[in-house]
Amino acid sequence: MNGCLNNLPVLALTMLACISAHGQSNVGELMDQGGKIVTREAQMALAPFRYQYVWPNRLGEGDLVFKADGTLDGTEDHYSSRSSSPAVGTWTVDEAGKQCVKKTLSAWNTKSDLCWWPYQLGYKFFVSNTNERTGRLSSVKSVTKLQQ
């Protein structure tokens, strides 16, 4: 299986793998190098998929499964407290490709409701909280298509 072709970025900016994009610091630079927004159709075709990421503030990480029915579940880990929380929620993608995630983290009594734009350049995937050319990019740790 060619894992690179089955990878796709798809998740909330709060829980995204936010390692700086090499060679591209913003959406405009990525697009100038041939990067593209990942379409709604491509995102939906990937489901179900496992999404692993480091939080943008680098204080934790997540490991979620996005399902074709629009639900998600998994865990979030906070590094300094060494605590974990189950994560459950829903995800949607609009016609323009913007993805939104509503998630509840029960162990921490918190919720998130965030949206972002996924991008692809070659076999690498990135996210931004905007589709503006000046939008800051973050790279995704791992996205893997799962068997149904």
Side-chain angles (χ1 to χ4, degrees):
M1 176 171 99
N2 187 343
C4 292
L5 295 178
N6 289 328
N7 289 337
L8 193 61
V10 222
L11 202 40
L13 192 57
T14 340
M15 15 180 231
L16 296 172
C18 284
I19 302 164
S20 296
H22 298 319
Q24 308 82 25
S25 62
N26 62 43
V27 171
E29 290 177 10
L30 184 76
M31 301 298 267
D32 291 346
Q33 294 178 15
K36 300 192 183 311
I37 291 175
V38 180
T39 66
R40 178 184 195 282
E41 292 75 20
Q43 292 182 57
M44 299 306 291
L46 185 62
F49 59 92
R50 182 178 183 193
Y51 190 77
Q52 296 174 296
Y53 53 91
V54 174
W55 299 351
N57 61 12
R58 300 183 189 261
L59 296 178
E61 61 186 44
D63 186 351
L64 301 175
V65 173
F66 287 74
K67 300 172 185 166
D69 67 0
T71 61
L72 63 88
D73 60 46
T75 59
E76 300 278 338
D77 298 308
H78 183 251
Y79 298 145
S80 64
S81 69
R82 295 187 177 143
S83 65
S84 296
S85 178
V88 296
T90 60
W91 66 285
T92 59
V93 182
D94 73 12
E95 292 300 319
K98 180 173 70 174
Q99 185 185 69
C100 296
V101 171
K102 293 182 180 185
K103 181 176 61 171
T104 299
L105 303 163
S106 58
W108 301 327
N109 194 30
T110 190
K111 295 181 179 188
S112 67
D113 184 356
L114 300 168
C115 298
W116 62 93
W117 297 86
Y119 294 88
Q120 179 179 2
L121 176 61
Y123 296 117
K124 293 187 178 186
F125 298 92
F126 307 88
V127 293
S128 178
N129 63 347
T130 180
N131 63 351
E132 302 286 326
R133 288 185 59 83
T134 57
R136 183 175 160 252
L137 288 173
S138 298
S139 63
V140 175
K141 187 175 177 183
S142 174
V143 181
T144 308
K145 181 162 180 61
L146 301 174
Q147 298 301 317
Q148 292 194 19

